[in-house]
Amino acid sequence: MLKRSPTQASTSSLSATRVGSGVRHFAPPPLPGSEFDPAGDAEILHRAMFEGQVDEKSLMSVLAHRTPPELYHISQAYSDRFQTRLPSDIEAKTSGNFGKLARACTMHPAEYDAWCLDRAMKGTLGADKEAIVEILVGRPNVEIKAIKLAYEISFGQSLASAVEAQTSGDSKQFLGMVLEANRDENTVQRDVAADAEALYKAGEGKFGTDNATFIRILGTRSEKHMKAVIEAYAKQYKSTLQKAIESEFSGLNSGTIKTALLAVVRMATSKAEFFADLLESSMSGMGTKDDKFIRTLVRLRYPPIMHAVKTAYEAKYKKHLVKRMEEESTFKGAYRELAWGLVGEE
């Protein structure tokens, strides 16, 4: 079996660039080591789909063991050689959850996030605001900018306008702030104690809630700064910022903004545990929420990130992630094998 490459580039290095009007193109990440053969992998994928019956094992031999930067170059090599897009061919030749996961693996991360956002905003039962929050909140500015560009190129409108049309009130304001991509990223020194005090006075320290203060601080501060604020808040006020948000944003119309603010706090506290919780929530309850599971898994498939999330999952839920997945009946056949491959052996 092929081993996954140790390439450790992050999605933030996959910058997006428009080339020509309406042309979908993203600037490539650095080409991995000399042993990596994108043209050879492209040939394997094409043969697996077009020489007789679809060979799912051959598809998985590549898709489960290549990082997103490598798959970007494979997709480019595939397009150059066969004059068609790899995600489109996979969509046409596969089906079910295996097809969804396989296609997702071959899309540029920003393009896939844009596709997921469009799908979340066009649900048959209305917008899936939880999915919108999970995709956007906590992203570095460069990733937000890449997703915005990918969305505009793919769907012909601005992402900010699309999200604005599907949200209202505090959640509309907060997500609009996120999409401005102006969040501090450790470049501005701020007063940790002052922010902790402001949040206390905006919530637990007053009658009612000053929502604007929560939105302003949690929507603009860096993750590092927020971690310090969370610790200062707990030390000074013998409570936690997470509990304060859960208590203060408990009204019938507070669901989306509460989810967004809690996501900021939980990611600043432990990003690995946050994603471990997302994976668990996709499998808990009646049936597996496969779209959520696939979306989360695809985002985590860099080996160092996946390792951290698996470690956090085991620490919190007292079992290996793969063992937990084995409990779900949805994981069958090729879908099971590809998901297992992306998670990696315990």
Side-chain angles (χ1 to χ4, degrees):
M1 178 180 290
L2 293 173
K3 292 184 178 180
R4 185 183 299 190
S5 166
T7 302
Q8 297 185 12
S10 70
T11 52
S12 62
S13 70
L14 305 180
S15 58
T17 306
R18 185 199 299 271
V19 178
S21 177
V23 177
R24 187 180 293 118
H25 177 84
F26 294 92
L31 192 66
S34 58
E35 294 183 1
F36 173 59
D37 180 13
D41 283 346
E43 290 283 352
I44 291 172
L45 293 172
H46 191 267
R47 286 198 303 270
M49 290 186 285
F50 292 98
E51 291 188 3
Q53 189 174 1
V54 174
D55 182 353
E56 294 172 339
K57 288 189 179 296
S58 291
L59 288 176
M60 288 185 286
S61 73
V62 175
L63 300 181
H65 305 286
R66 295 289 182 264
T67 62
E70 291 169 336
L71 283 165
Y72 174 89
H73 287 287
I74 293 169
S75 292
Q76 291 297 100
Y78 189 97
S79 296
D80 292 342
R81 172 68 176 83
F82 302 107
Q83 299 302 301
T84 183
R85 297 191 73 226
L86 178 56
S88 299
D89 281 354
I90 287 180
E91 183 177 24
K93 302 296 286 187
T94 61
S95 61
N97 288 323
F98 170 72
K100 291 178 183 178
L101 181 54
R103 176 176 178 267
C105 287
T106 62
M107 296 176 73
H108 186 286
E111 184 183 14
Y112 179 64
D113 286 331
W115 181 85
C116 288
L117 284 165
D118 185 69
R119 184 170 181 176
M121 290 186 282
K122 294 179 179 177
T124 55
L125 299 178
D128 184 349
K129 296 175 184 177
E130 181 178 288
I132 296 171
V133 168
E134 289 171 1
I135 295 167
L136 292 176
V137 173
R139 296 274 193 167
N141 292 334
V142 67
E143 290 186 16
I144 292 293
K145 291 174 182 177
I147 294 168
K148 287 167 63 179
L149 178 56
Y151 190 90
E152 183 176 352
I153 293 172
S154 297
F155 302 105
Q157 66 171 318
S158 79
L159 178 57
S161 297
V163 171
E164 182 178 2
Q166 297 295 333
T167 54
S168 61
D170 290 335
S171 60
K172 178 179 178 178
Q173 181 184 353
F174 184 81
L175 290 172
M177 189 177 295
V178 169
L179 287 169
E180 289 175 0
N182 288 323
R183 186 181 183 187
D184 291 348
E185 292 185 335
N186 299 323
T187 58
V188 179
Q189 294 294 323
R190 295 188 181 275
D191 190 330
V192 170
D195 275 354
E197 181 180 10
L199 289 167
Y200 178 76
K201 289 182 176 179
E204 293 182 306
K206 73 185 298 288
F207 181 77
T209 307
D210 177 3
N211 294 10
T213 295
F214 278 89
I215 291 170
R216 174 177 58 82
I217 294 176
L218 273 69
T220 61
R221 304 302 195 247
S222 71
E223 195 169 278
K224 181 179 179 180
H225 177 82
M226 280 308 308
K227 183 176 179 63
V229 169
I230 292 164
E231 293 170 352
Y233 190 100
K235 182 177 181 180
Q236 180 66 29
Y237 302 109
K238 311 305 178 186
S239 181
T240 68
L241 187 54
Q242 180 168 331
K243 288 181 180 178
I245 293 169
E246 290 171 344
S247 174
E248 297 297 321
F249 293 85
S250 58
L252 292 176
N253 297 319
S254 298
T256 303
I257 185 60
K258 179 168 73 172
T259 299
L261 296 177
L262 286 175
V264 172
V265 170
R266 292 169 60 204
M267 291 178 90
T269 303
S270 172
K271 187 168 286 188
E273 184 175 308
F274 173 80
F275 285 113
D277 288 341
L278 283 188
L279 289 170
E280 173 59 27
S281 67
S282 74
M283 295 183 284
S284 61
M286 293 294 292
T288 303
K289 306 172 188 69
D290 290 290
D291 287 348
K292 179 174 181 173
F293 179 86
I294 290 170
R295 183 178 69 243
T296 306
L297 180 61
V298 168
R299 184 172 174 180
L300 302 176
R301 59 201 159 116
Y302 293 95
I305 296 174
M306 181 59 73
H307 176 74
V309 172
K310 288 193 296 183
T311 300
Y313 187 94
E314 183 176 357
K316 183 167 185 176
Y317 296 103
K318 309 306 179 187
K319 64 175 63 178
H320 294 306
L321 177 57
V322 167
K323 293 294 185 183
R324 175 66 180 89
M325 291 164 64
E326 288 175 348
E327 298 173 5
E328 297 298 305
S329 60
T330 188
F331 295 110
K332 298 177 180 177
Y335 177 42
R336 177 186 187 277
E337 295 304 315
L338 181 54
W340 259 238
L342 292 174
V343 170
E345 297 180 3
E346 299 297 341

